[in-house]
Amino acid sequence: MRATLLAVLALALPPAAAAAAPPVPTPYEGTANGRFFHIIPPGEAGTANLVQTAGFLTTRQQPPHFSDQRDRYTNLLYATPGLRDADIGRYFPDASFGVAPGDGARTYHPRGDVTIVRDKSFGTAHVYGATRSGTSFGVGYAVAEDRLFFMDVLRHYGNGELASFAGGANVATDREQFEAAPYTAADLTKQFEQLPRLYGRDGQNLVDDVQAYCDGVNAYIAAARLDPTLMPGEYAAIGKPLGPDPWTPSNVLSVASLIGAQLGNGGGNELSQLQLLQADIRRFGSKRGVQAWTDLRSLDDPEAPVTATRRRGFPYDQIPKRPLGGVALPDPGSLKLASVDAGRPDTPATRRSTGVLRGLLRFPQSDSNALLVSARNSATGHPLAVFGSQAGYFQPEIWWGVEAHGPGFDVRGANIPGTGPYVEIGRGPDYAWSATSAGQDIIDVFALNTCRDAMHYRYRGQCLAMEPVVRSERWSPSLADATPAGSVTFRVLRTKLGLVVARATIKGRPVVYTRLRSTYQHEFDSGRGFQAFNDPEKTHDVQSFQRSAMGVGYTFNWLYADDRDIGYINTGSNPLRPKGVDGLLPIRYSRRREWKGFDPDTNLATYQAQTRRPQALNQRYLVSWNNKQARHCCGGSSYTPLWRSQLLTDGLDKRLAGGHKLTLAEVVDAAENGATGDLRGAKMLPVALKVLGHPRDPKLAAAAQTLRAWRASGAHRIDRDRDGHYEHADAVRLMDAWYETLPRAVFGSRMGADVFKRYDADLAPDRPNSYHGNGHDHLGSSWEDGWFGYVQKDLRSLVAPKTVRGSYHLRFCGKGNFGACRKAVRASLAKALSIDPAVLLNDPTLAGEDCGRMDAQACFDALRYRPLGVVSQPLQPWQNRPTQQQVVEVTAHRPR
């Protein structure tokens, strides 16, 4: 007991503040430097104490600032098209610097060199530090006020220990995170302590900022332990009434590794691609099998929409001329995936090597978008931007809004709680920036020979022992999770060339397959880029922003706007592979096939230079929705002729026709037009209907007419009059049903059952939030990937072959015969008409949810704010949109 009290008292005494008077908040900026808006639904606040949680459970009363941005976000659906510039503020909160006169709710000083002001409107924290340490401390204190329990969830999740914290239902989540980023305590400490040695003053600032941030979080934890009204009520529900343990820099790293693993990685699916390739070869023979795999990999389809439109592109990570050269082909039937469950035998390789996140958290893979219009195409002569990040819908939101000013900080925007003091997406004094996930390939799989026994491998001429990393956790039932008590032990093996993910034999010789990620052991390093974004001395124009962005090792597309320029650059620790090495397939290890400059002791290598990265400056417009970055790049993803970015570019092209110059409201309109569009209806359906023709069967004819009318109206999924039913509801339902049968009709006959099944597993049917398909789990964003681009391209090869660039070597539908293809397509529509809507819309994840006025279709699509605590939000109408979004027009700038 004495030790516990001493720990509480130690936490209650924050570090001595610098000898400085509390800073005075800066005056409200208004529109002095432009117009800045930013929305982060459902609301800023996320901490409800026991009294507030009890009140919500009895009366459904939302605590203050839990939901005051939710309806603004939803109601934009009904304000576009036709939004006026004067009305933008009705749907997007003001993101000017400072607090408007009369809007201050509370001013306080958690430390002598820190001032925090909370506004009345949304409860946003405006943090002012007299010192650099004070600013970081203030951000840490403020985020703990608003997101303490959520932060605790994230750090346990990132460390692969969520089940021990929140209950046994989260074991699968821990398994997947531990598989991706297994670290020992020593690993985490090393990452933090090596920053000054690797990066000098920037590295030391990062260390100091993170430590001060942790001090601020811990100061709030101490206060909450002494004042129960400050403690989140969820801690009592999970049997931890004293609240969280102190926050440490290692916890910051754990959260950063989680976010990086979910949103900032690419590649690593070499074994899955290998199995597809082998299936293609079995089906089509050696030559045609490789051609089919290469075509359907769609690594460099010339029709794929790109962000940077430069014609010569930015070559990186292309399929070599000899795709099978140096590839580690296992003996038939020998490949076994390594299990992270200690004591559980390795399992035969299946189509996917990782599971699906369940439990408390579920993230989309890549869903952020951005629209930026150049100054020359703007009605005011200043660039326009509507952009934001999509990280899923949560209550409270995983994004947290904050404003921070002090030495090294002059920013307002969105921060992921627990990742440190920096605004990751937001605005500076005269610039704004955002990001989308890129997903280029920074992970490779190598096959290493074993030696001596199964626990040793040969590397650079030596026989080395594999290093086990082991973690055990146990859990007990609680009010929040009734899963019976249990325990689990996870174990992975590390080598100098990454983590062991599988075993096999190659020509009878035992090998281990290892997965090497360039950012492994370097999650902290990306903080340098965010640090620079927050500091106007380092980021003051588009060129300095691009240099700052290169400090981010995760795979992101960065978009920038100020009063005269728009810019884009793709970042990530892109390793340089030797010529002839295919990073898309497992590599048979030899020293000459390693990454250039690779140091196995530091996991550092030679990376692609800034000048070689996809980038652009002052194009007519910039659009990114996780589409291909540029021509002839970038590995990691399949980019077909159809991509959801076209829902945005089509809207901009239409508005820019005839030399028209855009207003900020018109760019919002273009973004929201994409938010309700069905990519399949807009881009795949017209070609499918041409193949379908005009069937005599009255049911098929009526179905075709229904679909044509929907397509003519824009192919939207929206309930404009709010009566609970989509306009064109029959067409929406029919499109979903036809998409269940059409891909097989086009590809199944030529592929055969086995090959089609494998590709279908890789390209799971993508419908909004589909439980049946890709497991969006009501996260909103859709059309990430799917069959639609492949279907459209193959059908165009029959109906308009001269329009197709980069045709597939094989014709699939009807094996290239138009009549046979038409027959198959008509049969697939007839089959779709026979699908029971109740089966199509069956979604167990909606059990217990109140759909309100929404019918079954609209409810099936609806957004759900996944509760990370007791307080929840009602289902919201579907839209395909970032979960935090800025609207920006910068009109002034410092001297350049």
Side-chain angles (χ1 to χ4, degrees):
M1 177 63 72
R2 182 174 181 271
T4 301
L5 290 174
L6 288 175
V8 171
L9 289 173
L11 274 174
L13 297 173
V24 177
T26 56
Y28 176 63
E29 170 193 51
T31 58
N33 285 343
R35 294 187 293 166
F36 299 90
F37 304 91
H38 199 171
I39 190 163
I40 310 176
E44 285 288 1
T47 294
N49 59 33
L50 278 174
V51 173
Q52 291 170 320
T53 56
F56 175 79
L57 291 173
T58 55
T59 68
R60 312 308 290 178
Q61 177 67 40
Q62 295 274 335
H65 302 305
F66 265 60
S67 58
D68 46 17
Q69 297 185 55
R70 183 195 66 208
D71 291 343
R72 287 175 177 245
Y73 182 89
T74 296
N75 289 339
L76 184 64
L77 279 168
Y78 314 110
T80 62
L83 184 72
R84 299 178 302 172
D85 271 34
D87 291 333
I88 293 174
R90 296 178 59 187
Y91 306 99
F92 293 88
D94 179 21
S96 300
F97 279 172
V99 178
D103 197 34
R106 181 166 63 104
T107 301
Y108 52 107
H109 310 281
R111 204 170 82 170
D113 56 347
V114 181
T115 298
I116 300 177
V117 181
R118 294 281 183 170
D119 60 54
K120 293 178 183 176
S121 296
F122 299 102
T124 302
H126 306 257
V127 178
Y128 305 88
T131 63
R132 185 181 188 106
S133 170
T135 310
S136 296
F137 179 97
V139 173
Y141 191 92
V143 72
E145 287 184 289
D146 289 346
R147 294 288 193 279
L148 182 58
F149 183 73
F150 199 172
M151 291 168 62
D152 216 357
V153 169
L154 290 178
R155 71 169 163 180
H156 283 88
Y157 184 177
N159 210 34
E161 298 176 329
L162 189 55
S164 65
F165 174 72
N170 300 286
V171 169
T173 295
D174 289 341
R175 179 180 295 111
E176 181 157 327
Q177 178 60 13
F178 185 77
E179 184 180 40
Y183 288 122
T184 65
D187 293 331
L188 300 178
T189 300
K190 178 184 176 182
Q191 278 203 54
F192 188 61
E193 292 179 346
Q194 72 184 359
L195 292 170
R197 176 176 57 82
L198 292 176
Y199 304 113
R201 170 46 55 187
D202 287 345
Q204 187 61 56
N205 283 343
L206 184 53
V207 166
D208 295 342
D209 292 347
V210 168
Q211 186 59 64
Y213 172 85
C214 292
D215 292 340
V217 174
N218 290 331
Y220 183 80
I221 292 173
R225 286 181 174 177
L226 297 174
D227 180 355
T229 65
L230 302 180
M231 185 66 73
E234 289 83 4
Y235 283 106
I238 63 172
K240 296 176 172 59
L242 289 180
D245 294 331
W247 204 266
T248 69
S250 292
N251 299 148
V252 174
L253 192 150
S254 293
V255 179
S257 70
L258 166 67
I259 301 304
Q262 297 298 324
L263 304 176
N265 274 334
N269 62 343
E270 285 85 349
L271 295 179
S272 297
Q273 285 300 316
L274 175 65
Q275 292 175 304
L276 281 177
L277 172 59
Q278 290 177 315
D280 283 330
I281 291 173
R282 288 194 299 269
R283 175 67 177 177
F284 302 117
S286 297
K287 181 179 179 180
R288 287 200 168 192
V290 171
Q291 289 176 337
W293 176 81
T294 302
D295 286 342
L296 298 175
R297 187 69 186 93
S298 295
L299 188 67
D300 199 20
D301 191 315
E303 297 183 323
V306 298
T307 296
T309 58
R310 193 177 78 170
R311 288 194 174 186
R312 67 177 183 271
F314 297 85
Y316 177 73
D317 197 27
Q318 296 298 285
I319 295 176
K321 292 182 179 179
R322 295 178 59 246
L324 299 185
V327 172
L329 296 171
D331 296 335
S334 69
L335 186 65
K336 301 289 189 297
L337 299 179
S339 172
V340 299
D341 292 286
R344 177 177 155 191
D346 294 344
T347 58
T350 58
R351 177 65 197 94
R352 290 185 178 272
S353 60
T354 57
V356 178
L357 292 178
R358 295 298 178 194
L360 284 175
L361 290 170
R362 175 77 173 98
F363 295 102
Q365 292 179 327
S366 52
D367 299 293
S368 312
N369 70 29
L371 300 83
L372 295 88
V373 175
S374 67
R376 68 180 182 274
N377 289 291
S378 164
T380 65
H382 296 293
L384 310 171
V386 178
F387 45 20
S389 174
Q390 224 283 14
Y393 292 87
F394 299 98
Q395 168 57 58
E397 189 53 73
I398 195 170
W399 290 108
W400 172 68
V402 64
E403 180 179 355
H405 302 281
F409 293 84
D410 201 13
V411 287
R412 179 170 183 173
N415 164 274
I416 294 180
T419 57
Y422 309 123
V423 165
E424 282 124 349
I425 289 176
R427 58 157 298 201
D430 46 18
Y431 59 91
W433 78 95
S434 190
T436 68
S437 294
Q440 73 265 20
D441 192 358
I442 63 170
I443 304 172
D444 278 346
V445 171
F446 293 87
L448 298 162
N449 290 332
T450 59
C451 55
R452 192 179 306 173
D453 57 35
M455 293 297 293
H456 289 75
Y457 64 100
R458 187 163 295 281
Y459 177 70
R460 291 188 177 181
Q462 294 181 294
C463 187
L464 304 175
M466 300 175 195
E467 176 195 2
V469 181
V470 181
R471 180 170 300 142
S472 298
E473 63 174 339
R474 60 180 62 250
W475 58 89
S476 300
S478 67
L479 292 175
D481 183 354
T483 303
S487 64
V488 68
T489 296
F490 299 130
R491 176 177 178 267
V492 298
L493 297 173
R494 288 199 294 207
T495 73
K496 294 284 189 181
L497 213 59
L499 307 173
V500 175
V501 294
R503 293 180 182 269
T505 61
I506 296 179
K507 296 182 179 180
R509 185 167 187 174
V511 299
V512 289
Y513 287 89
T514 63
R515 182 179 289 130
L516 180 65
R517 170 165 57 91
S518 64
T519 51
Y520 186 62
Q521 298 284 13
H522 292 281
E523 267 86 6
F524 249 136
D525 301 26
S526 290
R528 295 173 299 131
F530 298 113
Q531 180 187 102
F533 293 161
N534 283 233
D535 187 348
E537 294 302 312
K538 293 183 177 179
T539 299
H540 47 80
D541 58 18
V542 64
Q543 289 82 13
S544 61
F545 173 81
Q546 290 175 328
R547 289 193 298 271
S548 296
M550 288 299 294
V552 180
Y554 297 128
T555 58
F556 287 111
N557 302 306
W558 293 100
L559 293 305
Y560 169 94
D562 62 23
D563 68 319
R564 72 181 188 189
D565 295 316
I566 59 172
Y568 158 70
I569 192 167
N570 165 258
T571 68
S573 296
N574 295 354
L576 297 182
R577 299 174 178 89
K579 185 177 181 180
V581 170
D582 186 354
L584 300 175
L585 293 169
I587 301 162
R588 189 76 166 104
Y589 173 73
S590 69
R591 181 72 179 269
R592 68 180 181 83
R593 294 188 182 121
E594 285 188 23
W595 294 344
K596 293 183 179 180
F598 179 67
D599 183 342
D601 295 322
T602 62
N603 201 47
L604 292 172
T606 302
Y607 305 115
Q608 187 185 27
Q610 179 179 340
T611 55
R612 305 289 293 174
R613 302 299 178 111
Q615 56 194 283
L617 176 64
N618 292 325
Q619 285 181 184
R620 189 183 188 207
Y621 58 70
L622 290 166
V623 166
S624 177
W625 203 346
N626 318 112
N627 51 283
K628 190 176 179 65
Q629 295 92 331
R631 292 179 173 85
H632 312 310
C633 79
C634 288
S637 296
S638 298
Y639 297 108
T640 72
L642 297 191
W643 206 267
R644 56 189 171 191
S645 58
Q646 293 162 311
L647 296 173
L648 306 179
T649 56
D650 286 356
L652 290 177
D653 287 338
K654 181 179 179 180
R655 289 167 173 81
L656 287 167
H660 177 73
K661 295 184 183 296
L662 297 178
T663 67
L664 190 57
E666 287 176 307
V667 183
V668 176
D669 270 353
E672 195 63 13
N673 181 73
T676 60
D678 187 314
L679 178 63
R680 305 160 312 167
K683 293 294 185 180
M684 181 193 76
L685 182 59
V687 180
L689 289 173
K690 284 184 179 179
V691 175
L692 182 76
H694 297 277
R696 295 180 180 179
D697 183 298
K699 290 184 178 180
L700 293 185
Q705 182 57 36
T706 297
L707 291 168
R708 287 190 176 96
W710 178 53
R711 172 65 187 90
S713 73
H716 292 279
R717 304 171 77 99
I718 188 170
D719 172 18
R720 295 192 187 278
D721 60 8
R722 309 192 209 191
D723 66 352
H725 311 285
Y726 283 152
E727 277 65 42
H728 298 277
D730 290 341
V732 169
R733 184 166 54 253
L734 182 54
M735 180 75 263
D736 288 350
W738 200 13
Y739 194 60
E740 298 282 330
T741 62
L742 182 59
R744 186 180 298 275
V746 175
F747 287 92
S749 176
R750 185 105 198 219
M751 282 185 167
D754 177 62
V755 173
F756 180 82
K757 182 178 179 180
R758 291 176 182 275
Y759 277 100
D760 197 44
D762 190 57
L763 301 170
D766 189 359
R767 293 189 277 125
N769 310 302
S770 173
Y771 174 81
H772 303 290
N774 57 6
H776 275 163
D777 204 11
H778 298 269
L779 297 179
S781 286
S782 294
W783 330 129
E784 286 183 43
D785 53 21
W787 278 109
F788 34 81
Y790 300 96
V791 168
Q792 192 249 32
K793 183 156 192 156
D794 189 64
L795 294 183
R796 268 195 305 127
S797 297
L798 286 174
V799 299
K802 292 183 179 180
T803 69
V804 180
R805 291 178 294 134
S807 298
Y808 298 147
H809 287 83
L810 295 177
R811 298 290 175 86
F812 290 95
C813 190
K815 298 181 180 179
N817 179 277
F818 182 84
C821 177
R822 169 167 283 182
K823 182 178 179 181
V825 167
R826 288 180 175 180
S828 71
L829 181 56
K831 187 174 181 180
L833 289 170
S834 70
I835 295 176
D836 183 352
V839 173
L840 193 68
L841 301 176
N842 178 39
D843 186 352
T845 69
L846 286 174
E849 294 281 358
D850 181 5
C851 294
R853 298 182 63 188
M854 290 185 285
D855 65 12
Q857 176 73 65
C859 191
F860 182 88
D861 288 358
L863 307 179
R864 178 171 58 190
Y865 289 93
R866 198 172 184 86
L868 267 293
V870 173
V871 178
S872 61
Q873 301 293 336
L875 294 172
Q876 298 292 293
W878 176 78
Q879 51 182 313
N880 200 6
R881 179 181 171 196
T883 44
Q884 59 93 356
Q885 193 169 35
Q886 296 182 83
V887 176
V888 173
E889 179 183 25
V890 186
T891 58
H893 203 281
R894 295 161 285 163
R896 294 179 187 266

